[in-house]
Amino acid sequence: DQTNSPFKIVLLGDSSVGKSSLVLRLCQDKFVENLEPTIGGSCIIQNIEIEESEVKLKIWDTAGQERFHSLTPLYYRGAKGAVIVYDISNFESFERAKDWILELRENGESDSKIVLVGNKIDLETKAVEDTTAQKFADKNGLLFFETSAKTGEFVNQIFLALAKLLLGK
Ligand code: GDP
Ligand code: MG
């Protein structure tokens, strides 16, 4: 019963793209300029209300294993949703995001919902155009948002959208 068991949601993406910062913003509405890379920000969000239903999400963040390419499929096993993050100022991180999507499609839950997120929109330097990412997302049936964990822009929307998808609304 969903009222008792939260949906598992994982964050994936290259190191330093802002995964832990997004979780920190979501769960504590905070931003820290130099976050310790090995501290994951996992948390549970209670009571997201979607059209009279309530959803709980358990958000999983890595403890920095992606830096050493040592994140195992155990991390995303059972995940009903995945937030794949890249940094809009770093093109390489966008390419890595595509790899993560492939990996999830191959080894993850068959019905998992994937959201593509371009983070750090507060930065001036833009290496990935939103139109490029949107096109990729459309082609692959993913939701797409651009966010800033620093300012908080569109961070909640990621998780609201996921909650809606998971409820089929
Ligand atoms: P992770 O390795 O993907 O978990 O990335 P972190 O959350 O640890 O963030 C890496 C660095 O990017 C940290 O110094 C953060 O302060 C910074 N950062 C994260 N999100 C943003 C953002 O939206 N804007 C800016 N300007 N910096 C960010
Ligand atoms: Mg992190």
Side-chain angles (χ1 to χ4, degrees):
D1 179 16
Q2 218 305 287
T3 51
N4 295 314
S5 54
F7 289 114
K8 176 176 176 179
I9 309 290
V10 291
L11 276 93
L12 284 167
D14 224 349
S15 59
S16 302
V17 295
K19 298 179 299 298
S20 301
S21 299
L22 286 167
V23 178
L24 192 65
R25 173 61 75 193
L26 176 76
C27 301
Q28 298 182 41
D29 203 18
K30 278 206 295 209
F31 180 74
V32 174
E33 204 60 61
N34 285 299
L35 213 55
E36 176 58 52
T38 55
I39 296 177
S42 305
C43 72
I44 292 182
I45 317 180
Q46 311 280 356
N47 314 330
I48 301 183
E49 258 187 63
I50 307 282
E51 298 168 25
E52 327 223 316
S53 308
E54 281 199 350
V55 190
K56 276 182 213 171
L57 301 181
K58 181 163 188 191
I59 314 285
W60 291 51
D61 181 24
T62 74
Q65 305 95 314
E66 69 280 14
R67 268 200 305 177
F68 313 106
H69 304 281
S70 58
L71 202 63
T72 72
L74 265 181
Y75 173 69
Y76 53 77
R77 181 176 296 168
K80 295 297 178 195
V83 181
I84 313 288
V85 187
Y86 65 92
D87 169 351
I88 60 117
S89 71
N90 176 339
F91 192 79
E92 185 63 32
S93 73
F94 180 58
E95 295 299 313
R96 282 293 296 141
K98 294 180 182 174
D99 294 340
W100 278 116
I101 290 161
L102 284 180
E103 179 164 342
L104 266 182
R105 288 258 156 95
E106 270 172 31
N107 303 320
E109 303 296 309
S110 57
D111 60 345
S112 71
K113 313 291 183 199
I114 303 179
V115 185
L116 178 67
V117 170
N119 188 42
K120 308 198 188 183
I121 46 166
D122 59 284
L123 296 179
E124 298 288 313
T125 34
K126 198 159 196 187
V128 185
E129 288 303 322
D130 54 350
T131 48
T132 307
Q134 183 72 63
K135 218 178 270 171
F136 175 80
D138 290 346
K139 214 166 146 190
N140 291 278
L142 317 169
L143 279 179
F144 168 62
F145 292 100
E146 283 193 332
T147 62
S148 169
K150 186 168 186 171
T151 67
E153 275 174 284
F154 299 107
V155 175
N156 288 340
Q157 277 85 336
I158 302 169
F159 299 94
L160 273 178
L162 261 179
K164 267 192 181 173
L165 276 178
L166 289 167
L167 286 178
K169 290 186 173 170

